[in-house]
Amino acid sequence: MATATLDDVAPPRAESPARSALVFAAAATAVIAASCLLAGFAPLGFSIVTVFLFAGPHNWLEARYMLTRMPARWGPLTLYFTTGIAGVLLLAAGLAAVRWLGEWLRLDSEMWLALYAGWNSVFVAWVAALALMRSRQNPRRNWLWIVPGAFVLIALNWLWPMTWSLALVYLHPLVALWFLDREIGKMQPAWRTAYRGCLLLVPAALGVLWWNLASAPNLPGNDWLQQQITQHAGAGILSGVSTHLLVSTHTFLEMLHYGVWIVAIPLVSVRMTPWQLDNVPLARRSNAWRAAILAAVAAGVIVMLVLWGGFVANYPLTRDIYFTVAMLHVLAEVPFLLRLL
Amino acid sequence: MNGLVTLTSAALLLAWNAIAPGNVAPPPKKPERVVAEVKIERGAIKGEGRAVQAKIIIPKGLVHGGAAGAVPVVPAPGAAPAPRAVPAPNARDQAGLPFGTIIAGVCMSLAAVSLVFVVRGNRGAKTTALAIVAGALVLGAFSAAYADLIPGRPNGPVPVPAEIVIELVDGGDTVTLQLAR
């Protein structure tokens, strides 16, 4: 069967490794600089446009990447993947239930906090359990320190549950950069030095944003959409910090996250169009599996189109629902990242 | 026949123009500054806590054009419906979780106990653990030194922050200012 891979269209592999690394570094630098500028000057507009354009595609391509990393037969990894998938589904459903039932039952703030803190505790316990299971797989690691670390994190969470949740919001975009680092190390080692050099630009760009926006006035306006965006970035939790600064910082990191999942990972790791399943181990099990995975990929396209339709029809409501359901992909990253370490 | 149609059309056109929204007079501009008569009362403020040093009672008619509530959320034109009725808790609320400190304490204890198992038999980890314990002791001593529990330090009563109560009432056109002393 003839297959057209991204190698055919992407020049880096055809060129010398040094030259392709330079092209990659130049592109990464341009994306970081442009994202920083747009996030700083037009934080709300940039946030609205990036979520509209990239939220759906990045989830689709991320799911496609995970298919390439999921073994065809789990064997001794059965417990690991079962715990991973069950945790993703239960924790995502749990968070949605906390939000929707909380609003429906009109819970008071104490109950809200207790539920959020409880969810965060289960999340930490789940990550710690997965990490301990991973440490017993090849290559073996001595990760016993994760147990006291997890208890400390749970303790901090019960003292400041909202701040802890906000930390997750800001850390999640950075996880994509970690994924990319591991994938470059495996698939394009010649790019690693250039990539890590570009990573230094991220704190530099954050420094530029904070330097310029530390004393900026809050963003004007107070409609539902703006409240969503500013609260998502931490307004109300980090009181006293300019909402302009918060939204700019969050939008900048989100854009990098989208760039990694939509451009960099497919280029470095998947190296195939999403509907070609030659590198999906599960698709090699049988024709039925191949058809099922193809159907799942097609369903992803439909979900993406529905999401765009929802954004056009009612952007704030769709955004609200999206960020609740999107917890699925945040959680799904954990077992796959641990497997890469 | 044509004349009748033309006459009817002209009448309808004129009638429609009379009710066209564009011809409705613009709403009166809300005053940005309101001057009202004030009544000042000195003495104990009934029904409030000790921290309350003043209370101001404002007739609703003097603020927000008489609308009830403190600060209504007005969606911008074309914006989605109002935000959720029950707001998510904020930073100020999170300090109020009553059993949070207890659970945090239990978790920190479990962290300390589990740390023992991690460092057991590991020389490098033992050194690290000792450094952490030493750091914790120094931090603890520093905290104690700056706490108000050391004998000899002035341990006066905790100052109660002064508060003002703002109350909106339905009737009247006079603002009442009550002062505790």
Side-chain angles (χ1 to χ4, degrees), chain A residues 272-335:
Chain A
M272 266 185 195
T273 48
W275 47 90
Q276 288 176 325
L277 304 181
D278 296 8
N279 62 357
V280 177
L282 280 171
R284 289 200 289 265
R285 283 186 69 164
S286 66
N287 282 339
W289 271 95
R290 189 179 181 84
I293 287 171
L294 210 53
V297 172
V301 176
I302 293 169
V303 170
M304 212 160 53
L305 293 173
V306 168
L307 194 65
W308 272 325
F311 280 136
V312 170
N314 189 337
Y315 184 90
L317 181 65
T318 309
R319 187 181 169 113
D320 200 29
I321 294 169
Y322 166 73
F323 276 112
T324 304
V325 178
M327 183 48 74
L328 271 172
H329 91 280
V330 177
L331 295 166
E333 287 171 8
V334 175

Coordinates of all heavy atoms in Angstrom, one line a residue, chain A residues 272-335:
Chain A
M272 N 2.8 11.5 9.8 CA 1.8 10.9 8.9 C 0.6 11.7 8.9 O 0.3 12.4 10.0 CB 1.4 9.5 9.3 CG 2.2 8.4 8.7 SD 1.6 6.8 9.1 CE 3.0 5.9 8.6
T273 N -0.2 11.7 7.9 CA -1.5 12.4 8.0 C -2.4 11.6 9.0 O -2.2 10.4 9.1 CB -2.2 12.4 6.6 OG1 -2.1 11.1 6.0 CG2 -1.5 13.4 5.7
P274 N -3.3 12.3 9.7 CA -4.0 11.6 10.8 C -4.8 10.4 10.4 O -5.0 9.5 11.2 CB -4.9 12.8 11.3 CG -4.3 14.0 10.9 CD -3.6 13.7 9.6
W275 N -5.2 10.3 9.1 CA -6.1 9.2 8.8 C -5.3 8.0 8.2 O -5.8 7.0 7.9 CB -7.1 9.6 7.7 CG -6.5 10.4 6.6 CD1 -6.0 10.0 5.4 CD2 -6.4 11.8 6.6 NE1 -5.6 11.0 4.7 CE2 -5.8 12.2 5.4 CE3 -6.7 12.9 7.5 CZ2 -5.4 13.5 5.0 CZ3 -6.4 14.2 7.1 CH2 -5.8 14.5 5.9
Q276 N -3.9 8.2 8.1 CA -3.1 7.0 7.8 C -2.7 6.3 9.1 O -2.2 6.9 10.0 CB -1.8 7.5 7.1 CG -2.2 7.9 5.7 CD -1.0 8.5 5.0 OE1 -0.1 9.1 5.6 NE2 -0.9 8.3 3.7
L277 N -3.0 5.0 9.2 CA -2.9 4.3 10.4 C -1.7 3.4 10.5 O -1.6 2.5 11.3 CB -4.2 3.6 10.7 CG -5.5 4.4 10.8 CD1 -6.7 3.6 11.1 CD2 -5.3 5.5 11.8
D278 N -0.7 3.5 9.6 CA 0.4 2.6 9.5 C 1.2 2.6 10.8 O 1.8 1.6 11.1 CB 1.3 3.0 8.3 CG 0.6 2.8 7.0 OD1 -0.6 2.6 7.0 OD2 1.3 2.9 6.0
N279 N 1.2 3.7 11.5 CA 2.0 3.7 12.7 C 1.2 3.6 14.0 O 1.6 3.9 15.1 CB 2.9 5.0 12.8 CG 2.0 6.3 12.9 OD1 0.7 6.2 12.8 ND2 2.6 7.4 13.0
V280 N 0.0 3.1 13.8 CA -0.9 2.9 15.0 C -0.9 1.4 15.3 O -1.5 0.6 14.6 CB -2.3 3.3 14.7 CG1 -3.3 3.0 15.9 CG2 -2.4 4.8 14.4
P281 N -0.2 1.0 16.4 CA -0.1 -0.5 16.7 C -1.5 -1.2 16.8 O -1.6 -2.3 16.3 CB 0.6 -0.5 18.0 CG 1.4 0.8 18.1 CD 0.5 1.8 17.3
L282 N -2.4 -0.5 17.4 CA -3.8 -1.1 17.6 C -4.4 -1.5 16.3 O -5.1 -2.4 16.2 CB -4.7 -0.2 18.4 CG -4.5 -0.1 19.9 CD1 -5.3 1.0 20.5 CD2 -4.9 -1.4 20.6
A283 N -4.1 -0.6 15.3 CA -4.7 -0.9 13.9 C -4.2 -2.1 13.3 O -4.8 -2.6 12.3 CB -4.5 0.4 13.0
R284 N -3.0 -2.6 13.7 CA -2.4 -3.8 13.1 C -3.0 -5.1 13.7 O -2.6 -6.2 13.3 CB -0.9 -3.7 13.3 CG -0.3 -2.6 12.4 CD 1.2 -2.9 12.2 NE 2.0 -2.6 13.4 CZ 2.6 -1.5 13.7 NH1 2.5 -0.5 12.9 NH2 3.3 -1.3 14.8
R285 N -3.8 -4.9 14.8 CA -4.3 -6.2 15.4 C -5.2 -6.9 14.5 O -5.1 -8.2 14.4 CB -5.1 -5.8 16.7 CG -4.2 -5.4 17.8 CD -4.9 -5.2 19.1 NE -5.5 -6.5 19.6 CZ -6.0 -6.6 20.9 NH1 -5.9 -5.6 21.7 NH2 -6.5 -7.7 21.3
S286 N -6.1 -6.3 13.8 CA -7.1 -6.9 12.9 C -7.8 -5.9 12.1 O -7.6 -4.7 12.3 CB -8.1 -7.7 13.7 OG -9.0 -6.8 14.4
N287 N -8.5 -6.3 11.1 CA -9.2 -5.4 10.2 C -10.3 -4.7 11.0 O -10.6 -3.5 10.7 CB -9.8 -6.1 9.0 CG -8.8 -6.4 8.0 OD1 -7.7 -5.8 7.9 ND2 -9.0 -7.4 7.1
A288 N -10.9 -5.4 11.9 CA -12.0 -4.8 12.8 C -11.4 -3.6 13.6 O -12.0 -2.6 13.7 CB -12.6 -5.9 13.7
W289 N -10.2 -3.9 14.2 CA -9.6 -2.8 15.0 C -9.3 -1.6 14.1 O -9.5 -0.5 14.5 CB -8.3 -3.4 15.6 CG -8.6 -4.0 17.0 CD1 -8.8 -5.3 17.2 CD2 -8.6 -3.3 18.2 NE1 -9.0 -5.5 18.6 CE2 -8.9 -4.2 19.2 CE3 -8.5 -1.9 18.6 CZ2 -9.0 -3.9 20.6 CZ3 -8.7 -1.6 19.9 CH2 -8.9 -2.6 20.9
R290 N -8.8 -1.9 12.9 CA -8.4 -0.9 12.0 C -9.6 0.0 11.6 O -9.5 1.2 11.6 CB -7.8 -1.5 10.7 CG -7.2 -0.5 9.8 CD -6.5 -1.1 8.5 NE -5.9 -0.1 7.7 CZ -4.7 0.4 7.9 NH1 -4.0 0.0 8.9 NH2 -4.3 1.4 7.1
A291 N -10.7 -0.7 11.3 CA -11.9 0.0 11.0 C -12.4 0.8 12.2 O -12.9 2.0 12.0 CB -13.0 -1.0 10.6
A292 N -12.3 0.3 13.4 CA -12.8 1.0 14.6 C -12.0 2.2 14.8 O -12.5 3.3 15.1 CB -12.7 0.1 15.8
I293 N -10.7 2.1 14.6 CA -9.8 3.3 14.8 C -10.0 4.3 13.8 O -10.1 5.5 14.1 CB -8.3 2.8 14.9 CG1 -8.2 2.1 16.3 CG2 -7.4 4.0 14.8 CD1 -6.9 1.5 16.4
L294 N -10.2 3.9 12.5 CA -10.5 4.8 11.5 C -11.9 5.6 11.8 O -12.0 6.8 11.6 CB -10.7 4.1 10.1 CG -10.3 4.9 8.9 CD1 -8.9 5.5 9.0 CD2 -10.4 4.0 7.6
A295 N -12.8 4.8 12.3 CA -14.1 5.4 12.7 C -13.9 6.4 13.8 O -14.5 7.5 13.8 CB -15.1 4.4 13.1
A296 N -13.0 6.1 14.7 CA -12.7 7.0 15.9 C -12.1 8.3 15.3 O -12.4 9.4 15.8 CB -11.8 6.4 16.9
V297 N -11.2 8.2 14.4 CA -10.5 9.3 13.8 C -11.5 10.2 13.1 O -11.6 11.4 13.2 CB -9.4 8.9 12.9 CG1 -8.8 10.1 12.1 CG2 -8.2 8.3 13.7
A298 N -12.5 9.5 12.3 CA -13.5 10.3 11.6 C -14.5 11.0 12.6 O -14.9 12.1 12.4 CB -14.3 9.3 10.7
A299 N -14.8 10.2 13.7 CA -15.6 10.8 14.7 C -15.0 12.1 15.3 O -15.7 13.1 15.6 CB -15.9 9.8 15.8
G300 N -13.7 12.1 15.4 CA -12.9 13.2 15.9 C -13.1 14.4 15.0 O -13.3 15.6 15.5
V301 N -13.2 14.2 13.7 CA -13.4 15.3 12.7 C -14.8 15.8 12.9 O -15.0 17.1 12.9 CB -13.2 14.8 11.3 CG1 -13.6 15.9 10.3 CG2 -11.8 14.3 11.1
I302 N -15.8 14.9 13.2 CA -17.2 15.4 13.3 C -17.3 16.2 14.6 O -17.9 17.3 14.6 CB -18.1 14.2 13.4 CG1 -18.1 13.5 12.0 CG2 -19.5 14.6 13.8 CD1 -18.8 12.2 12.0
V303 N -16.6 15.8 15.7 CA -16.6 16.5 17.0 C -16.0 17.9 16.7 O -16.5 18.9 17.2 CB -15.9 15.8 18.1 CG1 -15.7 16.6 19.3 CG2 -16.6 14.5 18.4
M304 N -14.9 17.9 16.0 CA -14.3 19.2 15.7 C -15.2 20.2 14.9 O -15.3 21.4 15.3 CB -13.0 18.9 14.8 CG -11.9 19.8 15.0 SD -10.4 19.1 14.4 CE -10.7 18.6 12.8
L305 N -15.9 19.6 14.0 CA -16.9 20.5 13.2 C -18.0 20.9 14.1 O -18.4 22.1 14.0 CB -17.4 19.7 12.0 CG -16.4 19.3 10.9 CD1 -17.0 18.4 9.9 CD2 -15.9 20.6 10.3
V306 N -18.5 20.0 14.9 CA -19.6 20.4 15.9 C -19.1 21.5 16.8 O -19.8 22.5 17.1 CB -20.1 19.2 16.7 CG1 -21.0 19.6 17.8 CG2 -20.8 18.2 15.8
L307 N -17.8 21.4 17.3 CA -17.3 22.4 18.2 C -17.2 23.8 17.5 O -17.6 24.8 18.0 CB -15.9 22.0 18.6 CG -15.3 22.7 19.8 CD1 -16.1 22.5 21.0 CD2 -13.8 22.3 20.0
W308 N -16.8 23.8 16.2 CA -16.7 25.0 15.5 C -18.1 25.6 15.3 O -18.3 26.8 15.5 CB -16.1 24.8 14.1 CG -14.6 25.0 14.1 CD1 -13.8 25.8 14.9 CD2 -13.6 24.2 13.4 NE1 -12.5 25.7 14.7 CE2 -12.3 24.7 13.7 CE3 -13.7 23.2 12.4 CZ2 -11.2 24.2 13.2 CZ3 -12.5 22.7 11.9 CH2 -11.3 23.2 12.2
G309 N -19.1 24.7 15.0 CA -20.5 25.2 14.9 C -21.0 25.8 16.2 O -21.6 26.8 16.2
G310 N -20.6 25.1 17.3 CA -21.0 25.6 18.6 C -20.4 27.0 18.9 O -21.1 27.9 19.4
F311 N -19.1 27.2 18.5 CA -18.5 28.5 18.7 C -19.2 29.5 17.9 O -19.3 30.7 18.4 CB -17.0 28.4 18.3 CG -16.1 27.7 19.4 CD1 -15.1 26.8 19.0 CD2 -16.3 28.0 20.7 CE1 -14.3 26.2 20.0 CE2 -15.4 27.5 21.7 CZ -14.5 26.5 21.3
V312 N -19.6 29.2 16.7 CA -20.2 30.2 15.9 C -21.6 30.6 16.4 O -22.0 31.7 16.5 CB -20.4 29.7 14.4 CG1 -21.3 30.6 13.6 CG2 -19.0 29.6 13.7
A313 N -22.3 29.5 16.9 CA -23.7 29.8 17.4 C -23.7 30.5 18.7 O -24.4 31.4 18.9 CB -24.4 28.4 17.5
N314 N -22.9 30.0 19.7 CA -22.8 30.6 21.0 C -21.4 30.4 21.6 O -21.2 29.4 22.2 CB -23.9 30.0 21.9 CG -24.1 30.8 23.2 OD1 -23.1 31.5 23.7 ND2 -25.2 30.7 23.8
Y315 N -20.6 31.4 21.3 CA -19.2 31.2 21.7 C -19.0 31.0 23.2 O -18.3 30.0 23.6 CB -18.3 32.4 21.2 CG -16.8 32.2 21.5 CD1 -16.0 31.6 20.5 CD2 -16.3 32.6 22.6 CE1 -14.7 31.4 20.8 CE2 -14.9 32.5 22.9 CZ -14.1 31.8 22.0 OH -12.8 31.7 22.2
P316 N -19.5 31.9 24.0 CA -19.3 31.7 25.5 C -19.7 30.4 26.1 O -19.1 29.7 26.8 CB -20.0 32.9 26.1 CG -20.2 33.9 25.0 CD -20.3 33.1 23.8
L317 N -21.0 30.0 25.6 CA -21.5 28.7 26.2 C -20.7 27.5 25.7 O -20.3 26.7 26.5 CB -23.0 28.6 25.7 CG -23.7 27.3 26.2 CD1 -23.8 27.3 27.7 CD2 -25.0 27.1 25.6
T318 N -20.3 27.5 24.4 CA -19.5 26.4 23.9 C -18.1 26.4 24.6 O -17.6 25.3 24.9 CB -19.3 26.6 22.4 OG1 -20.6 26.8 21.8 CG2 -18.6 25.4 21.8
R319 N -17.5 27.6 24.8 CA -16.2 27.6 25.5 C -16.3 27.1 26.9 O -15.5 26.3 27.4 CB -15.8 29.1 25.5 CG -14.4 29.3 26.0 CD -14.0 30.8 26.1 NE -12.8 31.0 26.8 CZ -11.6 31.4 26.3 NH1 -11.6 31.7 25.0 NH2 -10.6 31.5 27.0
D320 N -17.4 27.4 27.6 CA -17.6 26.9 28.9 C -17.7 25.4 29.0 O -17.1 24.7 29.8 CB -19.0 27.5 29.5 CG -19.0 27.5 31.0 OD1 -17.9 27.6 31.6 OD2 -20.1 27.4 31.5
I321 N -18.5 24.9 28.0 CA -18.7 23.4 28.0 C -17.4 22.8 27.6 O -16.9 21.8 28.1 CB -19.8 23.0 27.0 CG1 -21.2 23.5 27.5 CG2 -19.8 21.5 26.7 CD1 -22.3 23.4 26.5
Y322 N -16.7 23.4 26.6 CA -15.4 22.8 26.1 C -14.4 22.7 27.2 O -13.8 21.6 27.4 CB -14.9 23.7 24.9 CG -13.4 23.3 24.6 CD1 -13.1 22.1 24.0 CD2 -12.4 24.1 25.1 CE1 -11.8 21.7 23.8 CE2 -11.1 23.7 24.9 CZ -10.8 22.5 24.2 OH -9.5 22.2 24.0
F323 N -14.2 23.7 28.0 CA -13.2 23.7 29.0 C -13.5 22.7 30.1 O -12.7 22.3 30.9 CB -12.9 25.1 29.5 CG -11.9 25.8 28.6 CD1 -12.2 26.9 27.9 CD2 -10.6 25.3 28.5 CE1 -11.3 27.6 27.1 CE2 -9.7 26.0 27.7 CZ -10.0 27.1 27.0
T324 N -14.8 22.4 30.3 CA -15.2 21.4 31.3 C -14.8 20.0 30.7 O -14.2 19.2 31.4 CB -16.7 21.5 31.6 OG1 -17.0 22.8 32.0 CG2 -17.1 20.5 32.7
V325 N -15.2 19.8 29.5 CA -15.0 18.4 28.9 C -13.5 18.2 28.6 O -13.0 17.1 28.6 CB -15.9 18.3 27.6 CG1 -15.6 17.0 26.9 CG2 -17.3 18.4 28.0
A326 N -12.8 19.3 28.3 CA -11.4 19.2 27.9 C -10.5 18.7 29.0 O -9.3 18.3 28.7 CB -10.9 20.6 27.5
M327 N -11.0 18.5 30.2 CA -10.3 17.9 31.2 C -9.8 16.5 30.8 O -8.8 16.0 31.3 CB -11.1 17.9 32.5 CG -10.4 17.3 33.7 SD -8.8 17.9 34.0 CE -9.1 19.6 34.6
L328 N -10.6 15.9 29.9 CA -10.3 14.5 29.4 C -8.9 14.5 28.8 O -8.1 13.6 29.2 CB -11.3 14.1 28.4 CG -12.6 13.4 28.8 CD1 -13.5 13.3 27.6 CD2 -12.3 12.0 29.4
H329 N -8.6 15.5 28.0 CA -7.3 15.4 27.3 C -6.1 15.8 28.3 O -5.0 15.3 28.2 CB -7.3 16.3 26.0 CG -6.8 17.7 26.2 ND1 -7.7 18.7 26.7 CD2 -5.6 18.3 26.0 CE1 -7.0 19.8 26.7 NE2 -5.8 19.6 26.3
V330 N -6.5 16.7 29.2 CA -5.4 17.0 30.2 C -5.0 15.8 31.0 O -3.8 15.5 31.2 CB -6.0 18.1 31.2 CG1 -5.0 18.4 32.3 CG2 -6.4 19.4 30.5
L331 N -6.0 15.0 31.4 CA -5.8 13.8 32.2 C -5.1 12.7 31.4 O -4.2 12.0 31.8 CB -7.1 13.3 32.8 CG -7.7 14.2 33.8 CD1 -9.2 13.7 34.1 CD2 -7.0 14.2 35.1
A332 N -5.5 12.6 30.1 CA -5.0 11.5 29.2 C -3.5 11.7 29.0 O -2.8 10.7 28.7 CB -5.8 11.5 27.9
E333 N -3.0 12.9 29.1 CA -1.6 13.1 28.9 C -0.7 12.4 29.9 O 0.4 12.1 29.7 CB -1.3 14.6 28.9 CG -1.8 15.4 27.6 CD -1.7 16.9 27.7 OE1 -1.1 17.4 28.7 OE2 -2.2 17.6 26.9
V334 N -1.3 12.3 31.1 CA -0.5 11.8 32.3 C 0.1 10.4 32.0 O 1.4 10.2 32.0 CB -1.3 11.8 33.6 CG1 -0.5 11.2 34.7 CG2 -1.6 13.2 33.9
P335 N -0.7 9.4 31.7 CA -0.1 8.0 31.5 C 0.9 8.0 30.3 O 1.9 7.3 30.4 CB -1.3 7.1 31.2 CG -2.5 8.0 31.1 CD -2.2 9.3 31.6

